[in-house]
Amino acid sequence: MHCGASTPTGPDAPPRTASTGVVEVAQVRHALADRYRIERVLGEGGMATVYLAEDLKHHRQVAVKVMRPELTATVGADRFLREIEIAARLSHPHVLPVHDSGEADGFLYYVMPYVEGESLRERLLRETQLPVDEAVRLAREVTEALAYAHERGIIHRDVKPGNILLNAGHALVMDFGIARALGGSEVLTQTGLAVGTPQYMSPEQASGARQVDARADVYAVGGVLYEMLAGEPPFTGPSPQAILARSLTEQARPLRTTRVGLSPAVDAVVTKALSKNPADRFQTATELADALGAALDQLRGSASGVTPTGAAPMRVAAVFGVTAAAALAVIYAGMRQLGLPPWVFALGVGLAAIGVPIMAVTRHLEARRMAGAELRGLKRIFTWRNAIGGGVLALLFWALVATTIAMRRPAVGGTAAAPEVVRLAVLPFENQGAAEDDYFADGIADEVRGKLLALPGFAVIARSSSAQYRESTRPMTEIGQELGADYLLTATVRWAKGPGASNRVQLVPELIDVQTGDVRWQQSFDAALTDVFRVQADIAVRVAGALNIALGATEQRDLTARPTANLAAYDAFLKGEEARQSGPAGWRSAIALYEQAVALDSTFALAWARLSQVNSSLYYGSPTAEAANAAQRAAERTSDLSPDSPESHLALAVYYENVLFDHPRALQQYAEGLRLAPNHIELLVGSARVERSLGRWDAALDVLKRAQALDPRSAVAHSGLGVALLWLRRYPEALAAYEQALALAPTSISIIEGKAMVYLAQGDLPGARAVIRAAPAEVEPTSLVAFVAGTWDLFWLLDDEQQRVLLRLSPSVFGGDRGAWGLALAATHFLRGDTARARAYGDSARLAYAEQLEGVPDDNYLLALNSVALAYAGRRAEAIRDGERSVALLPIEKDGYSGAYNRHELARVYAILGDKEKTLDQLEALLAVPYFLSPKWLTIDPTYTFLKGHPRLERLIAGG
């Protein structure tokens, strides 16, 4: 706040949009209108906005500091005003006084004099380092102000250059009481804003100690003095957490290595003030002020704050020579090891050669500086510190060039360890347009998520986890912690529709640091709808840049690729994506929309891929020749258009898996897709399914756990893990996985049934029925009984009342599937002893399955279901024929998942027909492999009651 100019926005200030700032200024102006006339914003900091105002009572200019609304919402007004009132009692030449404070219309504020000067932070930004004697003098003035406050029981807790104003060359300490008002000794407030600044925060304050005394301010003064002398704080890092970790575990670099020739007395004062143990520091601010005074007296006895010496430049030159030689040796070895071209070594030699004249000039100018000469212009940048920094940058530049070339060459022997990645969640983008445009906002979010997913260095949380936070009002830090993310990407989207070609898309994305809640990056985009793909690519590039993730030429090219040039096709595709996300109920609608998209643009590879996926999934649940052929055509078309895309491999993999049951080829496609996009959630989950079908259960578990890490809030991920653990007969772990899934999706019938199956596998029928009866009221009872009866054939799990409900249902409750409906009712009537009705409903199911088999006569799943229907209908020979054929088409050895179920259906056929030995043959085979049947299951499943007392059954049960 100096000379009427705007104070630069603080580096820790969360950025505001223009609209947010205008609204807030208007609100503050209205709230304080009876006391102060707000003129303009002077600047922003991490906790407040500072306004230039006129005091209407005393007709003077003042600075009004207004707490940010997010802080006001979490800090009690009474506590804030009480702490400011205490601080306002301070009256000292080096303390900026407080004129007034209060609360108005929800805003907390306090008023200070308008000082014609600048902050110490601004001066350091301009000059980097200060003369030693001036730095010590300013530190002593700050310390005297703190000593005065400490004597009155007030600890500052946030001493930093931004809180030190320079007026006529002297220090004024401001913001007493703010840190305490905002949260005492806690490191972070609930808003995520820092109470205390990491670069100057004492170790006890950083570790969250409840008792922080005056020695924390002593440490902070040491940090500020260190920066005035060295040009940087004692500890730096890429994030507040990294800085705090270094301050807790490392020692600051000695000042005398940075400020050559620094007085030992000054170095000793700073070192003692920065002691990690409070007991080793100056015990009071008064002691520190006395030590600084003594050091200042010693400095004034010489011409400058440094002691000229010829040895230091020679040492630096020697270090440069040794370092350059060592670096060139490493470069030469790296060139030979990595097979880099000779010019890369020449580049290293050239960079080292450039350093020689720089070192000579620096040595000359440093000698003049130590002799007391004042250097101006470009001469000021020639310091030993900058010379060393330039050498480091040159080495890093060479390393970047070498790494880029090495990454484009084939790997030589072995594989490198995977680099640490940034975990990012793309939350649902907020649609600020018409409600019917929600699909458009979701589509933009999905496209940006997909582009980020393809970039190296990112692990992107899956859509199914992040979608749960649509319109959530919870704090971003809390959401990020639940998702296990380092950063969150949010945005507002508006599709501004106009006549003709005037449609525009307006996006305002924000990248939020989960640890602090700060906005790391924000930008507004307003572009013609035809440029929507460029905007998506720009967002991905800017996010990568904000997180210091370098992108190569290949990534840059891939990001700018357009999925289609036809906006109508893209619109149909986005609507198809929305329909696909609704599950099986929306698949047919999604297919129609994807078909519309590829009709409008026959080269739209991504739409072809989705068309293949959905047809393959539809075939798996309800096999038809039409779905199989459509899935094959679309997968092949995708492969022709985009053979090297992850989505192309995904489409082929799902086709091989769900239609052809060719799991080795499916796994190969999943592996190729994951090579291109290692964190693609659909590829991971599909890969786990195929590993499971191939009998590689441990590999499947590993992949599922990896998918779960990327999709932590997905009930599907947890339940998929539950299925695998149930089949492996690891029941406590399976139960825990299902309970986690139910906590996320309490109304999911499939998860409810899965949890019940864990109890059945342990022989606990009452416990399993209790799980079904405990289904939430939101679960429709008829849907529940239909699902349980038709999925895994658990009609006998239903109690008597639920069975009676089941027997009154029509095929519509089964989605119009007369085969599933007839089979469920036949089984239930058979269980209840009504064989006549069982025969009739079995015949109805047989006719329905026969119609489906006309189009796909060799479908193993339909044959298995039809064999059971034939058995209930009393058609013994046909039932055995279709059941045996189903097992032959897909044996357990080929598919440990679906093949096991087909053999289970054959066991049911023999049980219905009363063939004990054949039934036991199938059961013995199933108990020898991973499957949900268990020895204890057999003791409660009424299907096998007729085997009771049979020696083979008793041996199976005893073996469990």
Side-chain angles (χ1 to χ4, degrees):
M1 298 176 289
H2 61 96
C3 302
S6 296
T7 301
T9 298
D12 56 345
R16 305 292 187 90
T17 62
S19 59
T20 301
V22 170
V23 170
E24 189 173 309
V25 171
Q27 291 173 338
V28 171
R29 182 174 284 127
H30 178 267
L32 301 178
D34 61 333
R35 281 161 283 184
Y36 302 98
R37 183 173 60 82
I38 302 296
E39 295 182 7
R40 58 184 170 86
V41 175
L42 287 173
E44 292 183 296
M47 298 178 294
T49 303
V50 182
Y51 299 87
L52 176 64
E54 179 184 0
D55 183 342
L56 297 178
K57 181 178 180 180
H58 300 99
H59 302 290
R60 59 185 175 182
Q61 282 192 317
V62 293
V64 180
K65 197 162 191 175
V66 180
M67 295 298 104
R68 287 201 163 183
E70 58 264 37
L71 277 175
T72 303
T74 57
V75 177
D78 291 341
R79 177 181 182 178
F80 178 87
L81 296 174
R82 182 174 63 253
E83 297 297 336
I84 297 302
E85 180 183 356
I86 294 172
R89 300 173 189 171
L90 299 178
S91 178
H92 187 273
H94 298 301
V95 174
L96 185 69
V98 175
H99 287 334
D100 189 15
S101 64
E103 186 270 341
D105 292 349
F107 290 99
L108 298 174
Y109 69 94
Y110 65 102
V111 183
M112 305 167 290
Y114 177 63
V115 177
E116 291 188 357
E118 64 179 346
S119 72
L120 178 58
R121 167 56 59 215
E122 291 173 77
R123 183 169 178 191
L124 288 174
L125 287 173
R126 188 177 68 252
E127 298 183 12
T128 306
Q129 296 174 315
L130 301 187
V132 177
D133 57 345
E134 184 177 5
V136 175
R137 177 181 59 77
L138 290 173
R140 186 178 67 170
E141 291 176 353
V142 170
T143 307
E144 289 172 350
L146 293 171
Y148 171 84
H150 292 170
E151 290 171 1
R152 285 149 184 80
I154 299 174
I155 304 169
H156 194 290
R157 288 185 172 86
D158 194 19
V159 177
K160 59 183 178 181
N163 281 340
I164 300 170
L165 296 180
L166 301 179
N167 184 29
H170 293 280
L172 287 174
V173 183
M174 59 186 288
D175 279 1
F176 276 93
I178 298 301
R180 182 177 176 86
L182 295 179
S185 61
E186 295 174 354
V187 175
L188 296 176
T189 69
Q190 293 177 354
T191 65
L193 295 175
V195 174
T197 304
Q199 290 88 339
Y200 317 96
M201 193 182 292
S202 66
E204 65 269 23
Q205 194 174 356
S207 63
R210 305 302 300 177
Q211 298 298 325
V212 175
D213 58 24
R215 291 173 293 183
D217 285 351
V218 169
Y219 182 98
V221 173
V224 172
L225 179 53
Y226 186 105
E227 183 174 3
M228 288 192 286
L229 296 171
E232 64 179 11
F235 301 101
T236 58
S239 66
Q241 291 70 30
I243 296 170
L244 293 178
R246 290 191 62 194
S247 71
L248 289 168
T249 59
E250 299 178 13
Q251 296 295 330
R253 186 171 60 172
L255 268 174
R256 299 188 73 184
T257 64
T258 303
R259 197 73 179 256
V260 179
L262 182 70
S263 162
V266 175
D267 192 19
V269 171
V270 176
T271 300
K272 184 172 182 178
L274 288 175
S275 297
K276 296 193 183 302
N277 190 332
D280 296 332
R281 294 177 210 146
F282 297 100
Q283 295 303 290
T284 65
T286 301
E287 287 184 22
L288 175 57
D290 292 341
L292 289 168
L296 188 60
D297 290 340
Q298 181 179 339
L299 291 172
R300 287 170 176 168
S302 61
S304 69
V306 294
T307 304
T309 173
M314 294 302 296
R315 284 199 300 270
V316 173
V319 169
F320 171 79
V322 172
T323 303
L328 290 175
V330 171
I331 288 171
Y332 181 77
M335 183 187 72
R336 297 293 300 272
Q337 183 70 24
L338 300 175
L340 299 177
W343 66 263
V344 177
F345 179 75
L347 174 64
V349 174
L351 292 172
I354 291 173
V356 175
I358 292 176
M359 294 295 292
V361 173
T362 300
R363 178 181 179 182
H364 172 69
L365 294 178
E366 279 287 279
R368 291 186 58 195
R369 183 179 289 108
M370 286 187 290
E374 183 177 359
L375 303 179
R376 298 183 179 276
L378 289 177
K379 295 178 181 179
R380 293 172 54 192
I381 68 173
F382 286 86
T383 65
W384 290 127
R385 176 173 175 270
N386 290 344
I388 294 170
V392 172
L393 287 176
L395 187 59
L396 290 176
F397 172 75
W398 182 92
L400 177 62
V401 172
T403 302
T404 302
I405 295 172
M407 289 180 66
R408 294 179 181 275
R409 290 172 171 259
V412 180
T415 57
E420 185 177 353
V421 296
V422 173
R423 290 179 59 83
L424 174 73
V426 181
L427 298 186
F429 287 2
E430 179 187 350
N431 174 32
Q432 294 191 329
E436 60 265 23
D437 294 338
D438 282 346
Y439 77 93
F440 181 77
D442 288 341
I444 297 294
D446 287 341
E447 290 296 308
V448 172
R449 183 184 294 108
K451 288 184 180 298
L452 290 168
L453 185 65
L455 297 180
F458 280 109
V460 182
I461 304 300
R463 182 189 200 274
S464 52
S465 283
S466 55
Q468 300 173 28
Y469 297 96
R470 185 185 305 278
E471 299 179 358
S472 174
T473 58
R474 297 166 63 188
M476 289 295 176
T477 51
E478 186 178 318
I479 292 174
Q481 288 165 3
E482 287 186 355
L483 290 172
D486 302 313
Y487 297 91
L488 301 176
L489 181 65
T490 67
T492 58
V493 180
R494 180 184 295 276
W495 184 0
K497 301 177 182 178
S502 61
N503 286 349
R504 301 188 69 78
V505 59
Q506 299 164 347
L507 284 94
V508 183
E510 288 186 341
L511 182 66
I512 299 169
D513 188 325
V514 168
Q515 293 296 322
T516 64
D518 292 343
V519 176
R520 183 73 170 263
W521 165 78
Q522 179 197 66
Q523 186 168 339
S524 297
F525 295 88
D526 187 339
L529 187 61
T530 53
D531 289 333
V532 66
F533 304 118
R534 178 184 58 77
V535 171
Q536 293 165 357
D538 281 351
I539 292 173
V541 169
R542 301 297 174 82
V543 169
L547 299 179
N548 300 318
I549 294 177
L551 302 181
T554 302
E555 289 84 17
Q556 296 272 11
R557 185 189 66 244
D558 292 344
L559 282 177
T560 57
R562 292 171 172 249
T564 177
N566 189 309
L567 289 178
Y570 184 62
D571 187 62
F573 171 78
L574 293 184
K575 291 177 179 176
E577 291 288 88
E578 182 183 44
R580 182 173 78 104
Q581 296 299 333
S582 63
W587 285 350
R588 294 192 185 278
S589 297
I591 287 173
L593 289 162
Y594 293 139
E595 287 176 340
Q596 180 183 342
V598 297
L600 291 166
D601 179 2
S602 62
T603 64
F604 195 167
L606 185 55
W608 282 111
R610 290 288 191 268
L611 184 59
S612 176
Q613 279 181 257
V614 179
N615 272 299
S616 294
S617 299
L618 189 65
Y619 178 90
Y620 187 80
S622 181
T624 64
E626 180 186 11
N629 293 333
Q632 180 182 10
R633 284 195 306 271
E636 291 173 348
R637 180 63 173 155
T638 306
S639 186
D640 289 341
L641 291 169
S642 182
D644 295 325
S645 71
E647 301 300 332
S648 171
H649 292 294
L650 176 61
L652 282 170
V654 175
Y655 171 70
Y656 290 140
E657 177 191 0
N658 287 359
V659 179
L660 299 184
F661 289 88
D662 189 340
H663 299 305
R665 290 175 74 186
L667 186 61
Q668 181 182 5
Q669 291 299 322
Y670 281 127
E672 284 297 310
L674 287 170
R675 180 181 61 81
L676 297 168
N679 297 317
H680 194 299
I681 192 67
E682 289 187 84
L683 287 167
L684 284 169
V685 172
S687 175
R689 285 196 309 266
V690 173
E691 293 281 18
R692 180 184 67 188
S693 294
L694 290 172
R696 298 201 280 260
W697 289 88
D698 288 339
L701 278 178
D702 289 342
V703 178
L704 282 169
K705 289 175 180 177
R706 183 175 158 198
Q708 194 178 47
L710 291 169
D711 206 357
R713 299 287 297 174
S714 168
V716 174
H718 287 289
S719 63
L721 190 59
V723 170
L725 292 166
L726 169 62
W727 284 48
L728 289 170
R729 303 185 177 98
R730 291 160 58 173
Y731 303 126
E733 296 171 78
L735 186 61
Y738 276 119
E739 286 175 344
Q740 285 181 300
L742 277 177
L744 296 168
T747 61
S748 170
I749 299 176
S750 65
I751 298 175
I752 292 170
E753 183 187 50
K755 180 179 178 181
M757 290 172 72
V758 179
Y759 285 93
L760 293 179
Q762 298 175 88
D764 186 357
L765 179 59
R769 283 180 169 167
V771 172
I772 301 298
R773 286 194 296 270
E778 294 84 355
V779 177
E780 211 285 313
T782 58
S783 299
L784 176 66
V785 298
F787 186 91
V788 172
T791 308
W792 302 118
D793 314 306
L794 295 181
F795 52 91
W796 56 274
L797 171 57
L798 303 173
D799 60 25
D800 181 71
E801 180 183 350
Q802 291 167 331
Q803 289 178 19
R804 291 180 186 276
V805 171
L806 173 66
L807 295 175
R808 295 194 295 269
L809 297 181
S810 66
S812 62
V813 184
F814 290 80
D817 188 339
R818 296 187 66 85
W821 165 76
L823 198 56
L825 269 63
T828 307
H829 280 301
F830 191 86
L831 174 67
R832 297 170 73 87
D834 192 340
T835 55
R837 283 191 171 87
R839 183 182 295 267
Y841 282 107
D843 200 56
S844 295
R846 174 189 67 82
L847 292 172
Y849 289 132
E851 183 179 350
Q852 288 182 265
L853 282 164
E854 287 180 2
V856 282
D858 293 327
D859 186 83
N860 66 86
Y861 177 63
L862 283 178
L863 285 168
L865 297 176
N866 191 48
S867 70
V868 179
L870 288 163
Y872 282 126
R875 304 169 76 110
R876 181 185 183 90
E878 295 167 84
I880 294 173
R881 178 201 64 199
D882 280 8
E884 294 283 4
R885 187 162 171 240
S886 169
V887 170
L889 285 168
L890 195 68
I892 293 178
E893 296 74 19
K894 183 178 179 181
D895 188 329
Y897 191 78
S898 297
Y901 178 72
N902 291 350
R903 186 171 286 277
H904 190 177
E905 293 298 85
L906 182 58
R908 286 184 66 199
V909 168
Y910 284 123
I912 294 165
L913 299 175
D915 190 328
K916 294 184 178 181
E917 298 303 325
K918 292 285 189 179
T919 302
L920 286 163
D921 288 344
Q922 312 312 314
L923 294 179
E924 286 176 347
L926 289 170
L927 291 178
V929 297
Y931 193 56
F932 63 78
L933 280 188
S934 69
K936 289 186 178 179
W937 184 297
L938 300 181
T939 65
I940 59 173
D941 189 338
T943 307
Y944 310 109
T945 301
F946 79 108
L947 294 173
K948 187 175 182 180
H950 194 291
R952 289 176 67 186
L953 178 67
E954 297 305 319
R955 284 197 296 272
L956 287 177
I957 295 172

